[in-house]
Amino acid sequence: MNVKERIDFLRKDLEDHNHLYYVLDNPEISDFEFDKLMSELINLELENPQFNDENSPTKKVGGKVMDSFKTVDHQYPMLSLSNTYNAEELQDFDERIKKIIDVPFEYVCELKFDGVSISLIYENGELKQAISRGDGTKGDDVTENVKTIRSIPLKLREDFVANFEIRGEIILPKEAFNKLNEERERSGLEKYANPRNTASGSLKLHDTKEVSKRPLDCFLYHMLGENLPTNFHLQNLEKAKIWGLKISETTKLKSDINGVIDCVNYWEEARHDLPFEIDGIVIKVNNTDLQEELGFTSKFPRWAISYKFKSEQVSTLLNEITYQVGRTGAITPVANLESVQLAGTTVKRASLHNADQIAKLDIREGDVVYVEKGGEIIPKVVAVEMKDRNLFSHPTKFITQCPECNTELIRKEGDAKHYCPNSENCFPQIVGRFEHFISRKAMDIDGLGVETIELLVKENLISDISDLYLLRKEQILPLERMAEKSADNLISGIESSKKIPFERLLYAIGIRFVGETVAKKLANHYTNIDDLMNSTFEELVEVDEIGDKIAESVISYFSQDKNRVLIENLKSHNLCFVAEEKEKNLSDKLESMAIVVSGVFTNHSRNELKQLIEKHGGKNVSSISKKTTFVLAGDNIGPSKKEKAEDLGIPIISEEEFINKIS
Ligand code: IVH
């Protein structure tokens, strides 16, 4: 055996032993023997640098020191999940899905690992890149650190697909965490707060040797790519397991939501026996065609949700209840607490939600209360310790006047919140509207922060959004902490926002319930503000994915004179109220046709078909009505949709017929 052959043999042998030990938990040789083989390979590689391989098992022991991490784009955004906390909310999730798809489907239940998420990119069976989540769109390239994690293979085994991405969670097992903390205590160092933060901190270390000393582990739970082995989430993960990737044995298929609820109940107790921490269960629709059909809201997939276990609670003293006014005038009562440690952070304030919540729990100033971290960043007060209540305490009276502008508050029927109706002159509402308008996903105005907005409003330089476009440099220069350069930046930031496309401007003006996704849908459908302003409720609900609540809110917004004046003013500053000319249509064969796409298709994805409809001049609509021209149906269109189309005499056409129609 020559040197190259010995190197190749050792690499393959060590990969196999890594897999047996860290993925299958079934070692065949002792640690001593493993270390001996590893040091032989390290020496041979040092002596023969011409045979270097970036994915050799020796990379697992580290050795590289990085100055900084490169920021890279995610090919697919790394989204998080919306949360549920009880069986009822899981039933709601199931019902929401069944409103969109009416064919049988299955769920997959997975552990919700409490660690840091990671995206691994494999090309031709080799680990090419590992990217941290970052802001979901861009993350850090942490490949070198990730290579040291023993259960992440640098090379795959057997019939893998050429290109794919697989996402999962890097965790630090409980025992390793405790050991690390014992060592730190012995060395007089401050202890780490929890395994999740420690895993996250480890990934950010600059010396890979240090990372390799942390016994991190990684479970993978989501495969993405163009040519995946199957159209089922779980079956793809099973393939990944054969390729050598670590998939949890606990992942299970469930035939309905009751099965999911049983699973959630089981893990509520059993989680304490796991060697690592989990904070819930993730529930996903297994069929990836159906996942595609369900799609995403601007923040979350509609095909998956997380169920969060009851979180840690602590008790503390409630010193005072204060009230916050949001951009829409909504009043949120806030509990100001005696500082307390909760799940690794110091908590001083907690949300009390609304008047009903205060009344339901009978929360009073001076009470000892229990605080819990929910899905939101701000913790919430969940209960009062009645036995500690002061005999002379008074029930809380919810304020009747706005704490900021003294206007009488209103509470509409069916609304949980009180509102301050003085939207024109109430300071936090004015500032809140600007904050939303300039935010990154809206007009993204550089050089303008909340503090500057507050100053500009206080100085009466701006009061409605369109005033921004009247600002001159000499007006802002005298403001506190405003230098020549920052004033220039601000003015040029405002100027360039005039080019922001219609859909983002529509989101920016802050119509209630018109989030990013809805704004996009409306902008695509109407293509200009005038048509949207003049649209009726009936026309709005016909638009793909627009329901009653959104339609009502749009109608109510444009029925107010002040909003129509605002739009006219913004128009006069040349903001983009017309959608960009889309690429020229391929044809007008579907001109003025309203088409419903339903079911699963053989040759095109649902999105591709929807795009084809638009490219040929047609409009996608969400539900079947008299106005529907035809239903484009997959093999298994649900029975209720079929029946409705037949009742109304709407033609149902197949994928093939559709393609013929537009060819
Ligand atoms: S799926 C679009 N599955 O929880 C799919 N996430 O709140 C998104 N997580 O960001 C992720 N275990 O960091 C998924 N089995 C699991 C998970 C999991 C833990 C984390 C992940 C994600 C967050 C969602």
Side-chain angles (χ1 to χ4, degrees), residues 79-81 110-113 117 133 169 221 282 284 301:
L79 298 177
S80 61
L81 299 168
E110 297 169 6
L111 301 185
K112 186 169 187 311
F113 305 97
S117 43
R133 175 171 166 169
E169 205 83 352
Y221 50 63
V282 177
K284 301 175 181 171

Side-chain angles (χ1 to χ4, degrees), residues 180-181 184-185 187-193:
L180 206 64
N181 261 350
R184 287 183 73 84
E185 202 168 19
S187 319
L189 295 167
E190 201 186 327
K191 291 209 281 186
Y192 291 123

Side-chain angles (χ1 to χ4, degrees), residues 148-183:
T148 68
I149 299 174
R150 304 302 195 272
S151 55
I152 295 184
L154 307 184
K155 290 177 199 267
L156 300 180
R157 325 154 68 79
E158 305 180 42
D159 67 334
F160 42 78
V161 295
N163 292 308
F164 69 95
E165 198 165 325
I166 191 156
R167 293 181 174 168
E169 205 83 352
I170 295 177
I171 54 161
L172 185 65
K174 290 177 194 166
E175 199 186 312
F177 170 76
N178 291 335
K179 229 163 135 186
L180 206 64
N181 261 350
E182 280 161 23
E183 278 166 25

Side-chain angles (χ1 to χ4, degrees), residues 530-554:
D530 294 323
D531 286 358
L532 173 63
M533 279 204 281
N534 298 327
S535 179
T536 62
F537 177 83
E538 289 71 27
E539 285 162 353
L540 276 161
V541 286
E542 275 292 298
V543 180
D544 199 19
E545 291 183 30
I546 305 297
D548 292 5
K549 197 172 81 175
I550 299 170
E552 263 163 30
S553 167
V554 172

